[in-house]
Amino acid sequence: MNMEKILFQEKAIDSLLWWVKRLWRNEGQQQNLTFKAPTGSGKTYMTGRLICELAHQPDWQQDVAFVWITFSDDLAMQSRDKFRDYFAPNIPGRLLTISDFDLGRLEKNDVMFLNWQKLVSRKAENRVNRRPDDERMLKEQGYYYEDVVEQTHADGREIILVIDESHKNVTTASMRDVIQPMDPKLIIRVSATPEREPSATDVNHFREGYVEINRQEVVDAGMIKAEVVCQTEEDLRKQSGQDLDESLVKMAMEKRAELKLQIDHFGLAVNPLVLIQLPNDDAVYGDNIVQTKEEIVTGLLLRNGVAQENIACWFDQKKKPEGIEDNNSNYEYLLFKVAAGTGWDCPRAQILGMFREVK
C-alpha cells in the first residue's frame, strides 16, 4: 500500500529512530521509550514504519526481534493485518502470532503479535501457552511462551517489546508473567494517554525516551475531528413527550440520515455507522431483569424501519462481524458494551449513542 507522507508522522518516525538507537547504547535491559500520539494519528502505521526502517538503517546492525502486544485477539490481528497491508512486500521479517510458538524462537526482524489475555490469565484454557511449574504437566510436543523468549535470547538475539495502548495493560501481573521473562532490551509504550510520562531530567539525560505528537497537527492534517458535536437542547425538544430510549435511538437515526445525505452529495461510497453503547445490565441484574437494553434498543431499531441484517452486535459472547470496518459494509448500527472502546479502527463510525453511564 502506498501511503501519502504526512509531515507530523515523518517527524515522529525520525524521532523514534533516533531514540531507539540512543537508548540502545545504555547499559541494562528494559529501556523505556514512550510514544504519545492521539487516537487516529496512525500509531500502528508509525510504529510499523519504525520497525521496517530500523532494518534498513546503515548505522543499525543489531540482531533483534520484535514482540507487539495488545489486549485482545481482535486488536492483535488488526495490528498484524495493518502491518501487512501497509508494508508488504518490504517487510524485513516474518509476521507471527501465538500459533507460531511451535517455531521455538524468533529470528532476526520477526514481529510476533500477541494478546496479553492469552499470557496473563486465570482461566485454565488460556494458561496452555505458559510453561507450568509442575513438570508432570508439560505437554509432549510444542513450545511455551517461556521457551520462545529463552531460545531467542540463547541465539544471541535481543527483543524490542511494543506495548499497544500501554495505559491499559501494564499491570503487576503483566510485568511478572510477560515482561520479566521476556527481558526486552527496549520497551516502546504506545498510547494516547500514557499511564506515566518520563521526567524532563530522565529525558535530558537519555535515561528514558519520549516522543509526542501534538493533537493540533493531527487535526490540521485532517486525520481526526476538530471537535465532538453533542445533541443540542433543540434536538431534545423535538423528542419531547417520547420515551427516553426511543428518543435517543431516533436522534441517532436522524443524524445518520443527515450524514448519509452529505456523504452522497460528495459522491463517496461510504455507509456511515452508528455505535450504540449499552450498559452491562444483564450482568448486574441477572435473571431478575425483564428485558435487557440490548433487546429494547434492537426492538426500537426494528420498529423504526432498520432491517435486522443491518444491525451488528459485538459482545463477549458475540464476535464482531467480518468486514464491518469496510466503508461500504451493509451494517448501519453496531451495539456494544466495551469491546469497541479502545484501539478499534473504523473510520466510518461517525455517531455514538450512549446508554451507558459515563464514569
Side-chain angles (χ1 to χ4, degrees):
M1 177 185 294
N2 291 322
M3 299 287 293
E4 177 185 351
K5 291 192 175 182
I6 299 171
L7 181 59
F8 77 79
Q9 291 183 337
E10 297 302 309
K11 286 164 47 182
I13 294 163
D14 287 343
S15 296
L16 289 167
L17 285 166
W18 187 90
W19 270 112
V20 168
K21 296 172 188 176
R22 179 60 188 81
L23 292 172
W24 203 267
R25 288 153 48 188
N26 292 353
E27 292 185 5
Q29 301 295 103
Q30 301 184 32
Q31 305 291 319
N32 281 295
L33 170 56
T34 299
F35 180 29
K36 182 178 180 180
T39 299
S41 61
K43 293 192 292 293
T44 301
Y45 170 72
M46 289 181 281
T47 309
R49 268 278 302 279
L50 166 68
I51 292 172
C52 291
E53 295 276 353
L54 271 174
H56 301 104
Q57 295 287 298
D59 57 345
W60 175 267
Q61 303 299 326
Q62 306 300 331
D63 187 354
V64 62
F66 302 85
V67 174
W68 186 308
I69 196 160
T70 187
F71 68 96
S72 75
D73 281 336
D74 281 329
L75 292 181
M77 295 306 97
Q78 174 179 283
S79 298
R80 182 202 60 183
D81 293 344
K82 279 186 179 181
F83 201 107
R84 181 184 293 124
D85 292 343
Y86 290 152
F87 307 116
N90 300 313
I91 299 170
R94 299 172 297 179
L95 304 185
L96 309 174
T97 68
I98 204 167
S99 63
D100 296 306
F101 277 2
D102 282 357
L103 294 172
R105 57 169 53 83
L106 299 177
E107 302 290 352
K108 184 177 181 179
N109 293 323
D110 281 351
V111 187
M112 177 167 276
F113 296 86
L114 297 178
N115 165 15
W116 285 117
Q117 297 172 14
K118 290 295 179 68
L119 300 176
V120 183
S121 175
R122 298 188 180 188
K123 295 181 179 179
E125 62 268 25
N126 288 342
R127 289 201 298 271
V128 296
N129 302 301
R130 304 294 310 284
R131 188 164 61 204
D133 294 328
D134 187 345
E135 292 187 0
R136 293 173 299 177
M137 302 299 293
L138 289 171
K139 52 190 176 186
E140 293 183 10
Q141 294 181 325
Y143 291 86
Y144 296 101
Y145 167 74
E146 289 85 353
D147 299 324
V148 173
V149 296
E150 287 171 7
Q151 190 56 57
T152 300
H153 284 305
D155 290 349
R157 187 165 301 112
E158 292 283 9
I159 295 174
I160 291 179
L161 172 62
V162 176
I163 305 179
D164 196 10
E165 306 293 353
S166 63
H167 61 282
K168 290 180 65 70
N169 301 301
V170 185
T171 62
T172 301
S174 64
M175 286 294 296
R176 179 192 67 230
D177 296 344
V178 180
I179 297 176
Q180 294 300 342
M182 185 190 302
D183 197 25
K185 173 67 176 176
L186 178 64
I187 302 173
I188 304 176
R189 301 168 184 261
V190 183
S191 175
T193 55
E195 76 285 0
R196 58 171 293 277
E197 298 181 17
S199 67
T201 300
D202 282 342
V203 173
N204 290 337
H205 289 84
F206 311 117
R207 290 191 287 264
E208 291 193 48
Y210 185 71
V211 176
E212 179 178 4
I213 293 175
N214 184 279
R215 181 179 181 278
Q216 191 58 48
E217 290 183 284
V218 189
V219 173
D220 292 343
M223 295 184 67
I224 60 175
K225 299 278 193 294
E227 59 187 4
V228 175
V229 180
C230 296
Q231 82 271 1
T232 65
E233 188 176 344
E234 182 181 359
D235 291 329
L236 294 171
R237 280 202 299 266
K238 289 179 183 177
Q239 308 294 334
S240 178
Q242 293 192 36
D243 174 79
L244 286 175
D245 289 341
E246 186 161 14
S247 295
L248 186 57
V249 168
K250 283 188 173 180
M251 282 191 288
M253 294 179 67
E254 289 169 3
K255 290 299 179 185
R256 184 187 176 281
E258 290 174 16
L259 184 59
K260 187 70 170 69
L261 282 174
Q262 294 177 43
I263 290 172
D264 290 346
H265 175 74
F266 286 99
L268 301 175
V270 177
N271 188 26
L273 180 69
V274 177
L275 304 183
I276 299 180
Q277 188 172 26
L278 305 175
N280 201 21
D281 49 10
D282 48 350
V284 173
Y285 298 109
D287 295 335
N288 296 321
I289 193 166
V290 177
Q291 201 175 25
T292 65
K293 194 68 77 173
E294 176 191 351
E295 293 167 336
I296 292 170
V297 171
T298 301
L300 288 169
L301 289 170
L302 294 173
R303 286 201 298 275
N304 282 278
V306 180
Q308 181 72 63
E309 59 267 25
N310 299 142
I311 304 171
C313 294
W314 185 9
F315 306 126
D316 286 344
Q317 305 304 321
K318 295 182 181 179
K319 292 197 68 174
K320 173 175 60 70
E322 291 290 329
I324 193 171
E325 298 89 353
D326 297 343
N327 279 338
N328 58 359
S329 169
N330 289 328
Y331 289 109
E332 299 171 352
Y333 298 86
L334 172 65
L335 277 56
F336 75 103
K337 294 176 182 176
V338 294
T342 305
W344 181 50
D345 188 13
C346 185
R348 74 183 187 97
Q350 299 286 327
I351 298 164
L352 173 64
M354 296 188 71
F355 287 91
R356 194 181 187 92
E357 181 183 356
V358 178
K359 297 183 178 179

